[in-house]
Amino acid sequence: MSALHSRDAVPVDQGQLLEMVRAFYLEDEIVYDAARVEGGLGTLLRDPSCGAVLLLGSDDVPLAGYITLCWCFSVEQGGRFVLLDELYLRPQARGRGWGRQALRLAADWARRQGASVLRLEVNHHNTRAKVLYLSAGFQDDSRDILTLPLDGDARSLHS
């Protein structure tokens, strides 16, 4: 089995990335809002202060997947930390132990950037991914992520 490696994606990679992003969103039942997702990905590719996208590959699978890593800030976490926002391996790249290798690549990137914490989200229905993350040392904080869209009708705040 060949080892997984990564490289930082650049704006010219956006087309290949979007193909994988769409596949990931479809598979993980995430709504794909083209304007929002494509704009966010473009910003991440152009502005390293936001984070990075790592393209994953090996000698036998040149483009196996991707990881998006984004900078965040939390008083509880002691300041800046990295959010592993997305991790996707193409179907032909699965079952090789590359999920765990991808997590190591993400953690190595975060450490090199000076982060002391790497966090991630996992959908409740994605039990296979959660098992991988827990076995790799991530801790379940027993919390739910709640979202309030600010660009739409926020009637509930005004009720």
Side-chain angles (χ1 to χ4, degrees), residues 62-156:
L63 188 56
Y66 73 95
I67 303 169
T68 58
L69 299 161
C70 305
W71 284 107
C72 301
F73 189 93
S74 167
V75 172
E76 177 185 348
Q77 300 303 323
R80 285 182 10 133
F81 70 93
V82 172
L83 172 68
L84 194 165
D85 188 44
E86 297 181 5
L87 167 57
Y88 176 74
L89 288 174
R90 290 180 163 180
Q92 67 267 32
R94 297 176 190 167
R96 301 174 185 227
W98 285 353
R100 186 174 303 278
Q101 286 184 45
L103 292 172
R104 277 196 295 271
L105 290 168
D108 290 346
W109 181 91
R111 276 190 206 93
R112 284 193 310 274
Q113 303 305 312
S116 59
V117 174
L118 177 64
R119 298 185 92 180
L120 58 76
E121 304 171 6
V122 61
N123 285 328
H124 293 292
H125 67 261
N126 198 344
T127 55
R128 184 173 177 189
K130 186 171 183 178
V131 167
L132 169 66
Y133 301 146
L134 291 172
S135 72
F138 284 83
Q139 299 169 11
D140 186 342
D141 293 333
S142 299
R143 300 179 186 186
D144 290 321
I145 301 289
L146 306 176
T147 304
L148 175 66
L150 298 175
D151 58 353
D153 182 13
R155 283 180 283 176
S156 60

Side-chain angles (χ1 to χ4, degrees), residues 10-67:
V10 294
V12 72
D13 295 314
Q14 187 161 353
Q16 287 182 308
L17 273 165
L18 284 173
E19 175 189 322
M20 290 187 288
V21 169
R22 284 186 198 103
F24 169 55
Y25 282 36
L26 182 63
E27 184 177 317
D28 210 33
E29 303 171 19
I30 300 169
V31 174
Y32 185 85
D33 178 329
R36 181 174 294 209
V37 172
E38 293 169 21
L41 182 61
T43 298
L44 188 57
L45 291 171
R46 289 186 310 275
D47 186 353
S49 71
C50 293
V53 179
L54 303 182
L55 291 177
L56 305 171
S58 73
D59 293 338
D60 57 326
V61 183
L63 188 56
Y66 73 95
I67 303 169

